[in-house]
Amino acid sequence: MAILQLGVRMREQLESLVREAIAAAQAAGDLPEFALGDVGLERPADSSNGDWSSTVAMRSAKLARRAPRAIADAIAAHLGESSLLDRVEVAGPGFINFYLNTASANDVVSTIRAQGMDFGRSNFGENQRVQVEFISANPVGPMHIGHGRWAALGDSLCNVMAHAGYDIQREYYINDHGSQMDVFGSSVSTRYVQLFQLVGEGRSLAEAYEALLADRQAFVDDENDEHPESHPLTDAFLAALGENSYGGDYIIDLAYHFAQEDGDRLVELPEDERMAELRERGYLLMLDSIAKTCHEARCDFDNWFSERSLYVADETGMDAVHRAFAKLEQMGHLYTTDDGALWFRSTTFGDDKDRVLVKSNGEYTYFASDVAYHWDKFQRVEHVIDIWGADHHGYIKRVDSACEALGYPGGLEVLLGQLVNLLRGGEAVRMSKRKGTMVTFDELLHEVGADATRYTLVSKSANQMIDFDIEVAKRQDNTNPVYYVQYAHARICSILRRAAGVGDADVESLNMDEVAQRAVGSDVNLGLLNHASELALTRKLGEFAGLVEGCARDRAPFRLTHYCEDLAGAFHAFYTQCQVLPSEGRPLDVELSHARLALCDAVRIVIALGLCLVGVSAPKQM
C-alpha cells in the first residue's frame, strides 16, 4: 500500500506555496516570466536557518535576469498564508528559509506512531525491478571478512531500496564453473589420501586427523621453513599440488568428514575420479556452510545462481552462453581470429581493447560467463546492481560494454567496495593467505555477534576502508556506536514500561506498541512540546523519510547508522533536559508527560526501524 509520509507531504505543500508565490509575483509584474524547474527545497543542516530552505532564487537568477536576493524577496512577499508556518525569512544571497509552527513540527510524532515500521516507506523507486548481486564468494572455502562487508552492505542496501519502493531481488552468484573447483577437489583428495597413509602406519582415523592438523599448524608456525621436519605432510601436500591448492584447516576437516563417511573406499579410485567425487561433495558442503553463515549474518538470498547452469543446454540444445553469443553475433559484435579465438568487439562501446570470449584452445574465459550471466539477469529484472571488490575496477567497462551490446545500455550499475582492516585492541590481526590462516566471517560473527558485526561493516561508505576493531565492537559501553544506539532504544522501552506499569519480567512477552499505547493514551496534546530539545528531536525525526530516499537513491545505507547515532544523541539530550515521568518530589503535568512519552515512543520506533534496515536488532532491555 502506498503511504504518503509527513516529510513528503510537507515538501509538496511548501513547494506548492513557492510555485504559487512565483506565479503571483509574475502576475503582479514583480518577477518576469521564466520556466520554473526544481524549487530546491532541502533541510538545512543548521536549524537556525529554518526547518526547510529553498534555493529557487539562485537557481532562477539567469533565467529571470535578476539578482537572487531580489527574486527571493519577491517570492517571500507573495507567499500566501499557510497553517504550517510560523515565519519565512530571506537570508544570505537569496535563501528562502521556512520555519514551521510547533503544531506542524510535532505532527511527525503522531505520524510515526500511526505508521510504525512503515514510516518512511514510499513509492520513490516506482516499483522498478532491481536485482542486487553481492558476496559471490567461490564455494571452495569459508567466507572471510571482506565477504562479510558485502553481505552487510548488499543486504542493507536491499532493505533500504525496498523501503523506498523498489522491487528488490537478492542474488548470490555461485562461481562453481572455473578451474578453482578442480583445485579445491584436488586439495581435499590429497588430504584424504594422507589421512589413510597415517592410518596405515597404525593410527586411528581420529589420531590421523589430529596429526594432520598438528602438522599444518607446525607449518604455519615455521614461517621461515627452518624446521621442515616438523611439517612433512604439509610439505608433501604442497609438493603434490604446488601453490595451486587450498591449504586451510577446513580442507582437512572436509577430508576427515568424508573419511568418516566412506572409510578408505575412495583411496583405490583413479585420482581423477576421486578428485571429481570429493570436489562435488565438498562443494555442496561448502555451499551449505556459506548459506548458514549468511543466514547467521541475517542475510538471506532470493536466488542462488549457479555459474554452471549457464552451460547447461535447454530443450532446444542451446545453453545461456551460446544464446548470449548468438545475440551478440546477430548484432555484429563478435569476430573470430585466425587462431580460432572468439572475440567481443568491446571497443565499439568505449573499452580500451576488445575482449576474448573463447580462447584458441576452446576454453571459455571468465568473461564469457559474465556476458551470459548478465544477459540472463536482464531477462528477469529492469536494473542490475553488482557489488564488487575495489580490485575489480578495471573489469567494469567490459561487462558494461557487453550489457550495452546486448541491448541494455545504462542497465548495469557496479558498486565497488574497499577492504576491511581487522584489528584487535588497535593491533592489526595478522593473516596469511599462503599459510591459509585468517579470521573467517563465521568466527567473527560468533565472537562479536551479528549486531555489532553488521553495524560496523555498514557504517562507512563502500568506497572507504573500514578498520574493524574486534575489541571495540565487543564493548558494552557508549564508546561502541551500536551499543550506544541500542541502549537508547532499550532505555525508551524501560521508560514506557514504567509509565504503563509493566514490570521488566514481562519484557519479552509484551508487544512494545501495546505498552506504549497504554503509557501514552489516546488523546495527546503535542503542541506542548516546545522546549528546544523537544523541537530538535522532532526535527530529527522529520528527516527520516527523506533520508531513506536519499540512501536508496545514492546507494548509501551507511547514512542510516550516522542518523541513528545522531537521533540517539538527541534523545539523550532531551531526556536530560526534560522530565518525562512524575516522581516523588518532582510532580509533572499529566498532559505534558503524555506528550513527552509520545515523543519517546516515536523515537523508539524510528531507532528500531533504522536498525532494522541495516540488519541490526533493537533490544527491549540491556
Side-chain angles (χ1 to χ4, degrees), residues 432-547:
S432 168
K433 185 176 180 180
R434 184 184 76 84
K435 302 286 188 181
T437 57
M438 68 174 183
V439 176
T440 67
F441 187 44
D442 194 57
E443 290 169 337
L444 188 68
L445 285 168
H446 282 93
E447 179 173 358
V448 175
D451 282 342
T453 300
R454 282 280 302 237
Y455 192 95
T456 304
L457 290 175
V458 80
S459 64
K460 287 190 176 181
S461 170
N463 58 21
Q464 287 183 287
M465 294 188 71
I466 286 181
D467 289 332
F468 191 119
D469 194 312
I470 294 172
E471 297 306 321
V472 172
K474 288 162 60 177
R475 286 180 191 159
Q476 299 291 299
D477 60 40
N478 287 342
T479 64
N480 181 356
V482 66
Y483 180 90
Y484 179 71
V485 175
Q486 289 180 316
Y487 176 72
H489 182 271
R491 188 180 194 184
I492 295 170
C493 290
S494 175
I495 293 167
L496 292 171
R497 285 196 300 273
R498 275 187 285 149
V502 174
D504 288 345
D506 299 320
V507 170
E508 296 306 322
S509 62
L510 288 171
N511 181 305
M512 278 308 303
D513 291 337
E514 295 174 359
V515 172
Q517 186 57 42
R518 191 189 307 179
V520 176
S522 57
D523 188 16
V524 183
N525 182 4
L526 297 175
L528 297 174
L529 301 175
N530 53 25
H531 188 276
S533 65
E534 294 169 332
L535 295 175
L537 201 47
T538 57
R539 187 176 190 273
K540 178 58 67 174
L541 290 170
E543 295 173 6
F544 185 79
L547 175 75

Side-chain angles (χ1 to χ4, degrees), residues 265-330:
R265 176 182 68 83
L266 303 174
V267 172
E268 300 304 320
L269 287 181
E271 186 175 337
D272 59 340
E273 290 184 24
R274 182 175 63 248
M275 183 279 290
E277 180 173 338
L278 292 178
R279 178 192 64 201
E280 294 308 299
R281 291 168 64 187
Y283 155 64
L284 293 176
L285 286 176
M286 289 309 307
L287 195 59
D288 182 62
S289 174
I290 289 170
K292 287 178 179 175
T293 300
C294 288
H295 182 71
E296 185 77 15
R298 304 178 186 138
C299 176
D300 295 309
F301 291 88
D302 300 305
N303 192 33
W304 293 72
F305 191 99
S306 166
E307 182 182 359
R308 291 180 179 182
S309 68
L310 297 170
Y311 295 86
V312 177
D314 61 13
E315 61 277 2
T316 68
M318 287 275 281
D319 59 37
V321 173
H322 288 90
R323 283 195 295 273
F325 286 1
K327 176 78 170 178
L328 292 173
E329 177 68 33
Q330 179 185 1

Side-chain angles (χ1 to χ4, degrees), residues 550-566:
C551 289
R553 180 193 63 235
D554 301 333
R555 319 309 193 214
F558 75 95
R559 294 175 189 164
L560 277 168
T561 63
H562 300 178
Y563 173 85
C564 285
E565 290 164 36
D566 290 345

Side-chain angles (χ1 to χ4, degrees), residues 75 85 105 153 226 299 346 470 621:
I75 294 172
L85 301 174
L153 172 63
E226 296 173 345
C299 176
S346 57
I470 294 172
Q621 191 175 37

Side-chain angles (χ1 to χ4, degrees), residues 21-264:
I22 291 172
Q26 290 171 334
D30 294 335
L31 284 178
E33 293 290 332
F34 57 86
L36 180 61
D38 187 354
V39 301
L41 276 169
E42 56 191 34
R43 288 274 199 174
D46 185 348
S47 60
S48 66
N49 294 323
D51 296 290
W52 292 87
S53 183
S54 172
T55 57
V56 67
M58 281 82 87
R59 292 167 179 261
S60 306
K62 286 186 179 180
L63 293 171
R65 297 181 180 179
R66 297 276 180 90
R69 179 78 188 209
I71 297 173
D73 286 335
I75 294 172
H78 287 276
L79 279 170
E81 292 294 323
S82 171
S83 60
L84 300 175
L85 301 174
D86 179 57
R87 69 186 190 278
V88 177
E89 294 179 357
V90 174
F95 292 100
I96 306 174
N97 298 333
F98 298 89
Y99 297 81
L100 302 178
N101 57 41
T102 301
S104 298
N106 292 342
D107 189 40
V108 68
V109 173
S110 56
T111 301
I112 292 168
R113 298 188 68 235
Q115 296 178 351
M117 296 295 277
D118 278 328
F119 180 66
R121 193 178 294 278
S122 71
N123 295 324
F124 178 79
E126 297 180 333
N127 210 39
Q128 182 186 33
R129 288 178 297 133
V130 178
Q131 183 219 75
V132 183
E133 178 222 319
F134 54 104
I135 306 180
S136 302
N138 293 339
V140 295
M143 294 171 63
H144 56 64
I145 192 169
H147 299 138
R149 186 175 191 188
W150 310 151
L153 172 63
D155 185 64
S156 299
L157 177 61
C158 289
N159 292 340
V160 169
M161 292 184 69
H163 208 73
Y166 292 86
D167 182 1
I168 294 294
Q169 178 190 103
R170 294 163 168 82
E171 183 145 303
Y172 187 113
Y173 182 55
I174 310 168
N175 301 108
D176 55 3
H177 180 69
S179 60
Q180 81 277 357
M181 295 302 298
D182 287 344
V183 173
F184 169 69
S186 295
S187 300
V188 178
S189 175
T190 301
R191 288 302 198 183
Y192 173 88
V193 170
Q194 285 185 328
L195 281 172
F196 284 103
Q197 287 173 347
L198 293 171
V199 170
E201 296 172 3
R203 307 186 198 212
S204 69
L205 184 58
E207 290 171 336
Y209 168 64
E210 293 298 333
L212 209 51
L213 286 175
D215 181 277
R216 200 196 78 83
Q217 186 58 50
F219 171 79
V220 171
D221 294 338
D222 187 20
E223 293 187 25
N224 298 319
D225 287 326
E226 296 173 345
H227 303 285
E229 71 281 358
S230 68
H231 44 80
L233 293 167
T234 300
D235 285 348
F237 173 82
L238 292 173
L241 301 178
E243 293 297 318
N244 208 17
S245 64
Y246 293 100
D249 281 355
Y250 72 94
I251 294 294
I252 299 174
D253 293 340
L254 285 171
Y256 182 51
H257 173 81
F258 296 129
Q260 289 177 303
E261 281 194 343
D262 295 89
D264 63 356

